[in-house]
Amino acid sequence: MKNADELCSLIQEIIDEAGGHAEEEVDPSTPLLISGLVDSLTIMRIVARVEQRIGISFPETEVVAANFRTPTALWDAIEAVKGAARSEGAVS
């Protein structure tokens, strides 16, 4: 996963798998929490899938509502986690 658009596709896929349905396609500014598109279980599915695809561990301290408001907010959090992992030598 290289950008917020790819993250949007992943989120859309997870919502569809969970039986949910977005009125419109998920884009970087889609309000995930306010719209009800994601709930706590969906958030955990997103975290697990992101960890699997990117090869990072998403700290529990980053699994907060502010990071799941929109795909852009989540992508910013992912980039921050990746940057921290790089500086610790855990991700290349």
Side-chain angles (χ1 to χ4, degrees):
M1 186 174 342
K2 297 176 182 168
N3 57 44
D5 290 326
E6 288 182 21
L7 177 60
C8 289
S9 295
L10 174 69
I11 292 169
Q12 183 75 56
E13 180 182 310
I14 292 168
I15 290 169
D16 291 346
E17 287 172 4
H21 180 68
E23 299 260 334
E24 297 178 17
E25 213 169 292
V26 174
D27 67 41
S29 64
T30 299
L32 299 172
L33 294 174
I34 292 173
S35 68
L37 282 175
V38 300
D39 58 16
S40 58
L41 184 57
T42 306
I43 287 172
M44 295 316 297
R45 287 179 178 143
I46 293 168
V47 169
R49 206 73 73 78
V50 165
E51 288 178 336
Q52 181 182 39
R53 290 204 181 168
I54 296 180
I56 61 168
S57 180
F58 204 77
E60 288 181 29
T61 56
E62 295 299 317
V63 184
V64 296
N67 289 338
F68 288 86
R69 287 191 178 126
T70 65
T72 298
L74 180 54
W75 183 251
D76 291 345
I78 291 167
E79 288 289 291
V81 169
K82 285 171 44 178
R86 277 190 202 103
S87 67
E88 294 172 6
V91 173
S92 56

